[in-house]
Amino acid sequence: HGLDPDRIICGVGSDEVLQFVVQTFAGPGDQIITTEHGFSMYPILARMVGATPVTVPEDMRRVDVDAILAAVTDRTRVVFIANPANPTGTMLTADELQRLIDGLPPQVLFVHDGAYTEFADGFDGGASLVDRHPNVIMTRTFSKAYGLGGLRIGWGYAAREVIDVLNRIRQPFNLSNAQMDAAQAAVLDREFTDRCIALNARMRDRMRQSLVQMGIGCDESFANFVLARFDSPDTAAAADAALRADGILVRRVGGYGLPDALRITVGDEDAVTRVLDCLGNFMQGRAQ
Ligand SMILES: Cc1ncc(COP(=O)(O)O)c(C=O)c1O
């Protein structure tokens, strides 16, 4: 990635880096801003250190910069967003991101969670933002594009001063040699990763187009899943049951404030065909 190794911290999954952030920068009486459909770990991490999670509305399943800025108080310590976001798959533009950072007081740490960076074509995951702003940390993971979720390898990149304080609470041997070796092999195998990312982009387009044609709502996704929106929570539950009966497991996302939706991972050609065939039959059955 062409980054300064002294400004990188590794974690047992990027979750551990997020945990270091809250442990270091927030505590009782402090506020941590997250967004309406944001990643479920953010409010959990806030509570873990006794801070108060403040959840702000999104605008049609996209992070709303103005809502975040309006929620900042003198007790705000950290702002979390995932970009691309989970489970919506949506993404802020570079201008929106810049406006958010420019609007934050310098003592608020902005966490740009880049778990899905690799799937957003040409995006640096926020590295250049970190280089311009000492109050921004980018987190990244081997759990998504590299397919190594079970191995638990993540990392963060920030100003030296931020990395230095995070390192003070990191256990010295948090990652094993096996984890580090696997990460190194994965990151060096560019050809394989590029192939996976290109396939994901093609299959993601196909899924979205087909879902929309079937009358299922689907925003443009910049991640490795799409969010399929049905006309009601009951329909989403019935679609989930139909998929399950065909041996296909997707994610119900009622806990994310999206009870009428299912998050469906983008698979390879055969997997995507199976999902679309099943949902096509399901929607046809309902229309009759
Ligand atoms: C937005 C986001 N951030 C962070 C993570 C944590 O990933 P890991 O701890 O496996 O690196 C996930 C995993 O689902 C995620 O969706």
Side-chain angles (χ1 to χ4, degrees), residues 79-130:
V79 173
F80 278 118
I81 73 162
N83 193 47
N86 173 23
T88 57
T90 59
M91 198 176 170
L92 290 182
T93 63
D95 287 349
E96 287 170 315
L97 262 182
Q98 190 62 54
R99 198 160 68 76
L100 173 55
I101 294 167
D102 288 343
L104 288 176
Q107 71 276 13
V108 172
L109 187 69
F110 173 57
V111 181
H112 184 278
D113 178 341
Y116 299 94
T117 296
E118 289 82 359
F119 302 112
D121 193 24
F123 183 45
D124 72 357
S128 58
L129 290 176
V130 171

Side-chain angles (χ1 to χ4, degrees), residues 119 192 195-207 224-225 248 264-277:
F119 302 112
F192 178 72
R195 196 147 31 96
C196 294
I197 291 168
L199 178 66
N200 179 74
R202 252 189 320 117
M203 292 300 110
R204 184 175 59 192
D205 281 353
R206 181 180 157 207
M207 280 180 92
N224 62 335
F225 49 78
I248 299 164
I264 308 175
T265 301
V266 176
D268 61 14
E269 189 100 45
D270 288 349
V272 168
T273 301
R274 273 183 66 194
V275 168
L276 293 175
D277 284 352

Side-chain angles (χ1 to χ4, degrees), residues 56-266:
V56 306
E58 296 192 1
D59 180 14
M60 304 282 287
R61 299 168 298 283
R62 286 183 82 245
V63 166
D64 182 339
V65 169
D66 294 310
I68 293 179
L69 295 179
V72 172
T73 70
D74 57 4
R75 290 163 62 200
T76 306
R77 293 290 170 270
V78 178
V79 173
F80 278 118
I81 73 162
N83 193 47
N86 173 23
T88 57
T90 59
M91 198 176 170
L92 290 182
T93 63
D95 287 349
E96 287 170 315
L97 262 182
Q98 190 62 54
R99 198 160 68 76
L100 173 55
I101 294 167
D102 288 343
L104 288 176
Q107 71 276 13
V108 172
L109 187 69
F110 173 57
V111 181
H112 184 278
D113 178 341
Y116 299 94
T117 296
E118 289 82 359
F119 302 112
D121 193 24
F123 183 45
D124 72 357
S128 58
L129 290 176
V130 171
D131 289 338
R132 292 200 303 275
H133 302 276
N135 61 329
V136 178
I137 179 167
M138 163 180 90
T139 56
R140 302 284 293 271
T141 184
F142 283 84
S143 298
K144 312 298 177 186
Y146 297 102
L148 299 176
L151 269 180
R152 315 300 306 129
I153 314 156
W155 54 283
Y157 174 66
R160 204 174 290 256
E161 294 79 1
V162 173
I163 295 300
D164 182 42
V165 289
L166 297 180
N167 262 326
R168 287 183 216 173
I169 57 163
R170 180 180 62 82
Q171 300 214 14
F173 308 112
N174 63 333
L175 286 183
S176 65
N177 286 350
Q179 284 165 301
M180 298 304 280
D181 288 350
Q184 188 167 339
V187 84
L188 292 176
D189 194 350
R190 287 296 303 269
E191 201 256 58
F192 178 72
T193 312
D194 288 348
R195 196 147 31 96
C196 294
I197 291 168
L199 178 66
N200 179 74
R202 252 189 320 117
M203 292 300 110
R204 184 175 59 192
D205 281 353
R206 181 180 157 207
M207 280 180 92
R208 178 171 183 230
Q209 274 170 24
S210 302
L211 291 174
V212 169
Q213 267 167 18
M214 290 175 202
I216 300 170
C218 186
D219 298 320
E220 183 176 12
S221 167
F222 296 88
N224 62 335
F225 49 78
V226 296
L227 188 72
R229 286 180 287 115
F230 297 85
D231 59 10
S232 72
D234 284 349
T235 311
D240 183 35
L243 288 163
R244 214 168 254 272
D246 261 4
I248 299 164
L249 299 180
V250 300
R251 175 73 78 186
R252 299 287 307 274
V253 281
Y256 282 92
L258 296 159
D260 58 353
L262 299 175
R263 191 191 67 188
I264 308 175
T265 301
V266 176

